[in-house]
Amino acid sequence: MDNSLPLSTLSHTLLRVLKDKKAENIVIVDLSEQVDWTDRFILCTARVDLHRKAIADSVLEETARVGIYPLGQSGVEGGSSWILLDYGETVLHIFSPESRVFYNLERMWGEENNIHVVE
């Protein structure tokens, strides 16, 4: 990942949890110059429902531990192909492979200089 991309403590926490839980294809879409309602999307893929739910549960647990709660959430109940956790400055999207391709947020929101692959 490009180290020049400024990330908040929240984003670093989210990325750590995603890596710990073995989320795949983690990408940050920097939206700070495009919209005023968020700074970035963090996108990742998890192949099965249980994995997506485990990632979301771990993110919610870790952020709550430090007193940070999402402004909104969708799909967390389980069985969803797309889980969204909206933390204001950062919106986390946890996709099934099929939903990731179908919704293609990288193409919708990305420009060649604002997509950062997390390794």
Side-chain angles (χ1 to χ4, degrees):
M1 185 179 79
D2 179 2
N3 289 330
S4 66
L5 179 66
L7 293 178
S8 65
T9 301
L10 170 63
S11 292
H12 282 290
T13 300
L14 297 177
L15 292 172
R16 181 178 45 76
V17 172
L18 294 177
K19 289 178 183 179
D20 287 350
K21 290 296 178 182
K22 308 294 188 224
E24 299 175 2
N25 194 17
I26 303 169
V27 173
I28 299 170
V29 181
D30 180 4
L31 298 171
S32 60
E33 300 296 320
Q34 290 177 259
V35 299
D36 61 2
W37 45 269
T38 192
D39 291 336
R40 71 196 55 82
F41 285 167
I42 297 179
L43 313 174
C44 70
T45 303
R47 297 191 179 279
V48 296
D49 294 342
L50 188 59
H51 189 201
R52 285 187 295 282
K53 175 91 170 98
I55 291 169
D57 288 347
S58 292
V59 165
L60 290 166
E61 181 179 305
E62 186 65 23
T63 56
R65 191 178 63 74
V66 294
I68 300 171
Y69 301 93
L71 303 173
Q73 57 188 23
S74 177
V76 177
E77 301 77 31
S80 180
S81 64
W82 180 3
I83 296 174
L84 181 142
L85 299 174
D86 180 355
Y87 285 95
E89 70 178 42
T90 302
V91 180
L92 175 62
H93 302 266
I94 308 166
F95 287 105
S96 70
E98 299 80 17
S99 289
R100 178 96 179 245
V101 169
F102 181 79
Y103 291 105
N104 200 357
L105 295 185
E106 290 98 329
R107 182 170 170 237
M108 182 183 298
W109 288 99
E111 298 174 351
E112 69 180 62
N113 64 339
N114 76 334
I115 296 178
H116 308 274
V117 176
V118 177
E119 297 177 23

